[in-house]
Every structure is written in structure tokens, then in C-alpha cells.
Amino acid sequence: MADVTLMKTPAETGLAQAFEAARSLLPGDGESRAKAFEVFNRNGLPHRRVEEFKYTDLRALMREAAPFAPKPSAVQARAALDGATAFVGVPALRVPFVNGHFVREAVALDSLPEGVEIVPLAEALASGHDWLAHLSPIEWAAENPVYQLNTSFMADGVMLRIAGSVETPIHLRFVTVGDSAVATATRVLVLVEDGASVTLLESHESNDGAGHQPNDVVELIAGDEAKVRHVRLNAEGDRALALSTLAAKMGTETQLTSVNVTTGAAVSRHQVFARFDGENAHAQINGATMIKGRQHADSTLVVEHAAPHCESRELFKTVIDDEATGVFQGKIIVPHHAQKTDGRMMSAALLLAEGAAMNNKPELEIFADDVQCAHGATCGQLDEDLLFYLMARGLPRKEAESLLVQAFLSEAVEFVDNEAAREALVAEVEEWLQKRA
């Protein structure tokens, strides 16, 4: 049989041209970039025949590759941050990125809270900083094509090291602006030392009307007995194609809570790769997605129990209106030595319109014999009996629907223990419901 050569799409051709033009200008190790892009270029953008992207065909969804954004001026960065609203009322140390570039002027690096160190990634890449050895903490996550694209083009970001109990939340604030579509490839590495604790807020915003293409990666390495609370909000603009990855590696007796709320972007895919490397660790990973119009939102999760006696809980809630499409793909992997694993995964979707669609694909890959693992997935509509009950007490139908939707989503959001951050997420839910009404 003759070999079949897949034709390059305009987006793939554009990415190849962009890499050739930029590779000598990007800071750091050109070898690892070239290797990552070589693999990506050989396989192209993932499509529906690639199992992990069966429901999110990036080859079809990304028609053209947007140019990578240049570093904004201080004035442009300030204006962009002044217009950002996510978590604005939450007291925090802001670590901002505008168009993929760390805004160093906005952070007093020489007077950070005790226990916090920040190193600009561009400088670290140029100087070969020791912490770079911690990049890509999960090997098989690095084989993901979205991750490979970020590795190929990453030019800026930060590396944080957390020691001790840091009371002030740290807000990773990603803002993309401009009249024309731009791409970004920001990389953030967070090193949480043994016994340390921190709250990480992460927000992604961009202006409506421009088809920005952010592809941002946050890597987290949590040491033994570390405690990390991670709260993420995707409020990207209405034409954005937003790709994002969280890669988390956990040590012995580590506790991780991660809650992601998605309302924005025309197309979004948030990937979580979590790995237990030490015993008796616990992870709670939740998601709440609200989409409408013709939005497409994908939550993909892989949890690897690489150590015994660990516990994982995943709960994803999706509310879909109009002709929007939701995707949940989740996999729990338990190798033969990870006895006494306790893993449970649940995805529930609420369809508010006839044209709404949801694709659920939970999976278990278990090789150990003394484990408790389960998964489940549901799709349904609002309960007409409950609607009738509320409307019979004088509530208009839309208001009754809003109450039921809030109750449905609250189970995923209630794990946010920072009260101000939780209120910000609840306000995001209420705003989405008000716009729907």
C-alpha cells in the first residue's frame, strides 16, 4: 500500500513558518524546542482520529495560525491590566502576563511576601537557571501536542518557589488584548516545597471580537505534606480559541484542590495531568462549565496513581445552552503497584436547549487488584417537577431555572475555601445566568 501523506492545513503551515522565523530569537535551549516542534510538525494538529482529540478536532477548529504577540510596552500593559476584572476584588499578589509576556514592572520582585520567590522565565531560559530542570514534571504529559506547541514557542512566564505557609493568595493573571488575533505560549512553573501551603488563583481574559489563540501551561510540583489550593477562571473573549494545561505532580501526604470555572472562548480545551508520586496524598479536581451560543468547551483529565494509598476525587459539572457543545474526557490510571488506591470520577451535564450537546468519556485503566475506583457520567434536563414547584410559588420560569442551575453547579464550586475567590466565581455564574435571561 502506498504511503499516505497528509496535506498540511493553513494553520499547520503557518505554525511551521512561525517556528522557523522565531527559533533563533527565542531564549534558552533550542534543542528541546526543536525536538518538541519536530514531533508536532510530524503529526500535525490533532484531529478526530486521534483518540484524545476525538471530540475536539483542532485541525478543523484552528483554520489559521495567529501570529505570536510581541512584548507590549509598559503603557500598553498597564492599560490591559486596568481593563481586567477577574478576581479583582480578591486580595492577592498579582503576577500578570499581557499577551503572553510577564509584566515585570507590576511586581516588586525585591519585596515579595515571605516564602515567595519569583524568577522571570525569559531570564531563566537565557541564563540556564537551575530550576529549569523541574520543567515538564510529567513525562507523558509532555507528549501531548498542545503541550508540545507551548514548549516550542514558550518565550516568557515565571518560575515561583513557595516555602512555608504563604497566607497571601498568588494571582496568575493572563490577559490578551488587541484588535487583531494573536497567539501566546506562556509557561509558569510553581515549586511548592515540603510542608508549604499556598492558594493559587489563575485567570484568563481577552477582549471580544478578536480570535486570540492562547496556549498557556501551568506546571505544579508539590512536595511532601504540601497543601495547594488552585482556583482557575476562563473568561476569554467570544472568538478566542483557548488551549491550556495544568500538570501537577504530588508528593507524600500532599493535598491538592483544583477548581476550574469556564464561561469564555469560542473554543476551549483545558487539560489536567495529575500524578501521585508519594503515598497518602489526596487530590480534589473539579470543574464547572457554562456555555451557550455555539461555544465548544473541552475538559480533559488524566490522573495517574503512581504511588499506593492515594485518593482522588474528580467532579465536573457542565451547563449547556443553545447549540453549544461540552466535552469531558477523564481517565484514572492505576499501575500494578499502586495498591489501596481510591479514585472516583463523575461528570454531570445539564442541557438547557434541544440543540445542546455533551460528550462524556470517563475511563479507568487499572492494573492493581486491591483498589476502589469508579466513574460515572450523566446528561439530563432541568427537573420539570422542581420547576413547577418553584413557579407555583410565584417565581418566573427563568428565575426558577437560574436557581436550579446555581444549585447544580454549587457542588463543584463549594470546595473553594477562599471566601473572596468563591464569591467571585459565584458572581461569574450569576452574571452568565443573567445574560441568558
Side-chain angles (χ1 to χ4, degrees):
M1 181 181 292
D3 291 339
V4 176
T5 302
L6 206 58
M7 296 291 291
K8 296 286 186 186
T9 67
E12 291 166 342
T13 301
L15 287 167
Q17 293 172 344
F19 184 71
E20 286 303 317
R23 60 188 303 177
S24 63
L25 305 175
L26 294 169
D29 177 13
E31 185 178 346
S32 59
R33 291 183 188 282
K35 184 178 179 181
F37 194 78
E38 180 186 351
V39 176
F40 171 80
N41 199 37
R42 186 166 58 244
N43 298 320
L45 286 164
H47 46 80
R48 60 188 173 84
R49 284 175 288 177
V50 177
E51 187 64 24
E52 294 81 1
F53 289 82
K54 180 177 180 180
Y55 303 110
T56 301
D57 186 339
L58 283 185
R59 177 169 288 178
L61 292 168
M62 183 184 285
R63 302 292 179 87
E64 294 183 350
F68 280 81
K71 187 177 179 65
S73 68
V75 173
Q76 291 169 327
R78 187 69 265 165
L81 294 176
D82 287 345
T85 59
F87 295 127
V88 71
V90 183
L93 169 64
R94 314 283 179 203
V95 181
F97 310 92
V98 172
N99 289 0
H101 297 273
F102 175 45
V103 185
R104 183 173 183 151
E105 301 80 11
V107 184
L109 294 178
D110 54 354
S111 58
L112 296 170
E114 186 177 354
V116 179
E117 291 181 75
I118 297 178
V119 177
L121 184 64
E123 295 176 13
L125 289 169
S127 64
H129 197 283
D130 292 344
W131 295 359
L132 292 173
H134 298 289
L135 285 178
S136 304
I138 300 177
E139 297 80 3
W140 42 266
E143 298 173 1
N144 177 272
V146 171
Y147 190 101
Q148 286 166 346
L149 267 183
N150 178 279
T151 299
S152 303
F153 289 98
M154 68 175 177
D156 213 342
V158 295
M159 299 191 297
L160 292 89
R161 184 159 72 180
I162 309 298
S165 179
V166 176
E167 298 297 328
T168 305
I170 297 175
H171 181 187
L172 305 172
R173 194 179 202 187
F174 299 80
V175 181
T176 307
V177 294
D179 296 331
S180 302
V182 294
T184 67
T186 318
R187 179 72 67 92
V188 173
L189 172 66
V190 183
L191 303 171
V192 184
E193 294 192 345
D194 293 351
S197 67
V198 66
T199 295
L200 295 173
L201 307 178
E202 182 186 340
S203 63
H204 297 257
E205 299 174 82
S206 56
N207 56 294
D208 287 340
H212 298 307
Q213 296 177 355
N215 178 0
D216 304 316
V217 172
V218 174
E219 296 177 320
L220 167 68
I221 299 178
D224 295 346
E225 300 181 28
K227 188 174 183 179
V228 181
R229 300 160 294 269
H230 173 239
V231 186
R232 182 181 186 276
L233 173 62
N234 169 356
E236 296 278 6
D238 60 359
R239 293 187 58 194
L241 193 164
L243 306 175
S244 56
T245 304
L246 169 67
K249 187 167 78 170
M250 294 162 279
T252 301
E253 297 186 15
T254 298
Q255 295 183 50
L256 169 65
T257 302
S258 179
V259 177
N260 174 57
V261 172
T262 295
T263 60
V267 176
S268 66
R269 177 180 168 100
H270 181 56
Q271 310 178 131
V272 179
F273 300 98
R275 172 175 172 150
F276 292 96
D277 260 12
E279 298 184 12
N280 299 310
H282 173 86
Q284 177 77 50
I285 302 173
N286 288 8
T289 298
M290 295 160 286
I291 49 177
K292 59 188 177 181
R294 303 196 65 167
Q295 285 181 278
H296 177 106
D298 180 338
S299 297
T300 291
L301 168 71
V302 181
V303 178
E304 182 184 14
H305 284 259
H309 299 280
C310 292
E311 185 178 82
S312 65
R313 296 287 184 270
E314 295 84 39
L315 176 62
F316 285 76
K317 296 289 188 79
T318 307
V319 178
I320 310 168
D321 202 358
D322 304 324
E323 298 179 350
T325 301
V327 178
F328 172 79
Q329 297 181 106
K331 179 186 285 187
I332 297 175
I333 302 173
V334 185
H336 63 89
H337 62 276
Q339 303 294 347
K340 302 296 182 183
T341 287
D342 186 351
R344 300 181 190 187
M345 176 183 293
M346 182 66 193
S347 169
L350 193 55
L351 308 180
L352 301 180
E354 290 291 329
M358 181 70 192
N359 299 292
N360 272 315
K361 188 186 170 197
E363 296 177 272
L364 300 175
E365 191 173 291
I366 301 173
F367 299 96
D369 55 12
D370 188 7
V371 301
Q372 295 185 58
C373 289
H375 65 63
T378 65
C379 286
Q381 299 175 325
L382 287 170
D383 189 315
E384 287 295 333
D385 290 339
L386 290 175
L387 273 176
F388 176 79
Y389 175 85
L390 293 172
M391 293 168 65
R393 279 148 181 80
L395 288 178
R397 183 179 179 91
K398 285 293 184 184
E399 192 172 337
E401 288 181 354
S402 294
L403 284 176
L404 294 179
V405 170
Q406 288 183 63
F408 174 76
L409 292 171
S410 63
E411 192 179 1
V413 177
E414 66 183 9
F415 287 88
V416 178
D417 57 4
N418 182 296
E419 186 175 350
R422 187 173 62 252
E423 289 177 355
L425 295 182
V426 171
E428 193 75 18
V429 173
E430 292 175 346
E431 183 180 352
W432 187 87
L433 290 168
Q434 287 172 3
K435 287 180 179 177
R436 175 176 180 264

